[in-house]
Amino acid sequence: MSNATQAITIQEGIFICTAFKIQPYRVCAELLPKFGPWAMTVLANSVFSADSICSKAHFCPKPDHPKPDLIELPPRPSKSVESTITTTNESFQDDERMWVVHLSDWHFDSEYSEGYEVNCGEPVCCRPPNAFGDEATSPAGKWGDYNCDIPRRLIESMLEFIPNVVPKIDYVLSTGDLPPHDVWAETPSSIKEITNKTANIWHKFFSSVPYFPVIGNHESAPVNSFPTSSLNNVSSISWLYDLLSTQWNIWLREEARESIEKRGFYSARIPKDNMRIIALNTNFWYKFNWWMLMRPESEWDPENMLKWVIEELYEAEKLGEKVWILGHMIALSEDSFPSFSSYFSQIVARFNDTITGQFYGHTHWDEFQVIYDSIGNHEPRPVGVGYMGPSVTTFKNLNPAFRVYEINKSTKKIINHYTYYLDIEEANRNNKPDWKLLYDAKSLYKLQDLEPQSWHDLSERFLTDNDAYQTFKKIASRNQTLNKYGSCKPFETSQQCKNRIICRLRSTFSGHGPFLSNELCKKPLWMPQLPENWRLTAAFGKTVNVLVNIDKFAGNGDEDNGDSLFKLQDDNDNDKSGYGENKDDDNDDGDIMIEGLSKILVRMVLELVSGDDNAICR
């Protein structure tokens, strides 16, 4: 509005960022120039577009977003397609099992240096140019630290340990986020450097093992920036897709690499095991990927990824193949746009006989999410499970970990899973990493199997069995007492806190799910037991009434005639006429009167202070 240049705006942003101690100056000075142009471009073309502002002001109808409630899915086959591999449901011999290693959220920091300050005040520490040695109040340990990302030696110790517990690795799955959390400093060249170093480590340990990676939100620079091809006129992410396709070329076939270069996702058929792997680019449903706000309204399915997934699943179904889905972030995360939660649930419900495994990361916790078929009049039915693998990084306040899945070779279903971890404090104290089994799912939770119904029943048990629930919270944090998994929010009771976590496990906290309207998932008021007019009282320092001259709004219905009155009146005001016409102007007792407001501005103010769009009626 003031016609300030982008450069001036960014400099003012750096000043505000530093003055309000949002981050240290070094971080602010690097962060704002990287994110500022992106943010301003998106805001100007979406949030602050003419259509959007006009709609927010109620002058115009809401912009039409032609997103379907139900997506188009092919009909189910008249009878299930039999797999060409004989199924075995009872005991399993060694040759009837597959072993799959799941690694997620590496966040390898090549600048991690032993002895540098752990509590440096920046988003990630244990690296130059912070305090070192005797000047550091909490020097970083040799093997890592809880306020930092991880050094190379920790990664290599993990990869050297894996063959001790998994002598025969059939597949390795990597669910994204390779760079460290120094988002203020990341550039395409630094992303290239760290992803290349990570790929070289993979080559060293997994050159002969089938390896299937996906793209995380931290792989771009700026972080989370993944425009679709329709936005190539303002920004492009092709540099990253080309880079990763080249780095991953020894594991992926040409058609998979070509798909990555075009859209960042791919599928891989594995005929010898009668299966295929579908690797998603989940950044297209990540709500912090601001480019999604700017995509054309008709592009409800970015890069037609969901349509492509349906086609891949339908083809696999017809061929009798089983499918594993990989992604960095599950669509039913609270970090996802709610519409994608609904769409993805519908896809999983339709192809639940074909999809036998779903593997994700992103949260850094050790979690699961049950997916339900809730379309129609039947009771919600568990149809899938998304496994969020624990992070390799220690950031923040976590012990590093990896997951191993035991798979039925015939059905491709998960029989059990095992999580291994490293106690960082113990490793630094003993100057030796000692990776250990943390738990196996069937034994810890006393599960008969790992079917979706079993995981739903476990979430039910958490409601009444507090020991089981507390065990789950401890496991999610890998035994690290500093962790905050499941910690309660302000004004939230312990039961509300537990309900919220269980809601999350049932894929409902994302904004979609069969339990959304259930008492279990009802969100508590964030500030309970306050009077109705607390907002106005807080703003003006006294108890006030909202008085609007509705007569001024009657007549020709002109919304912007400037002939309206908005008044805030003290409870002690003796004038109860409602409009104050007879009140002595020299003795207003601190009353606040604003003349000449249009009806729409009155509505906006009332909506802001009362949270109710119908406030104008009062």
Side-chain angles (χ1 to χ4, degrees), residues 202 213-215 244-252 260 266:
W202 296 352
V214 297
I215 300 174
L244 296 180
S245 171
T246 301
Q247 293 176 349
W248 299 346
N249 65 355
I250 72 165
W251 298 288
L252 302 179
I260 291 174
Y266 66 92

Side-chain angles (χ1 to χ4, degrees), residues 9 30 67 76 110 147 231 240 244 246 257 276-277 298 313 321 338 364 418 449 470 490 510:
T9 306
E30 291 195 57
K67 296 172 182 159
R76 288 183 179 272
S110 60
N147 203 33
L231 299 174
L240 175 65
L244 296 180
T246 301
R257 298 199 302 272
R276 74 177 64 193
I277 286 176
S298 59
L313 288 167
E321 297 174 340
H364 293 203
Y418 307 81
D449 53 45
Q470 294 300 329
S510 61

Side-chain angles (χ1 to χ4, degrees), residues 464-494:
T464 55
D465 186 344
N466 196 54
D467 288 341
Y469 175 68
Q470 294 300 329
T471 296
F472 167 72
K473 287 178 58 178
K474 184 178 179 182
I475 289 302
S477 309
R478 276 91 84 189
N479 280 10
Q480 173 50 271
T481 57
L482 294 176
N483 209 283
K484 301 296 183 183
Y485 184 85
S487 58
C488 298
K489 296 181 178 180
F491 309 107
E492 190 178 46
T493 68
S494 59

Side-chain angles (χ1 to χ4, degrees), residues 5-35:
T5 65
Q6 207 172 78
I8 291 175
T9 306
I10 289 172
Q11 287 303 313
E12 290 175 347
I14 293 172
F15 171 78
I16 293 170
C17 176
T18 307
F20 286 90
K21 299 183 178 179
I22 298 171
Q23 290 294 340
Y25 173 77
R26 187 173 76 91
V27 175
C28 296
E30 291 195 57
L31 194 73
L32 270 294
K34 290 183 174 68
F35 286 84

Side-chain angles (χ1 to χ4, degrees), residues 434-450:
D434 184 16
W435 292 86
K436 303 172 184 176
L437 175 67
L438 181 60
Y439 75 102
D440 78 83
K442 288 184 76 171
S443 299
L444 181 70
Y445 296 125
K446 300 178 176 60
L447 300 174
Q448 182 177 354
D449 53 45
L450 270 63

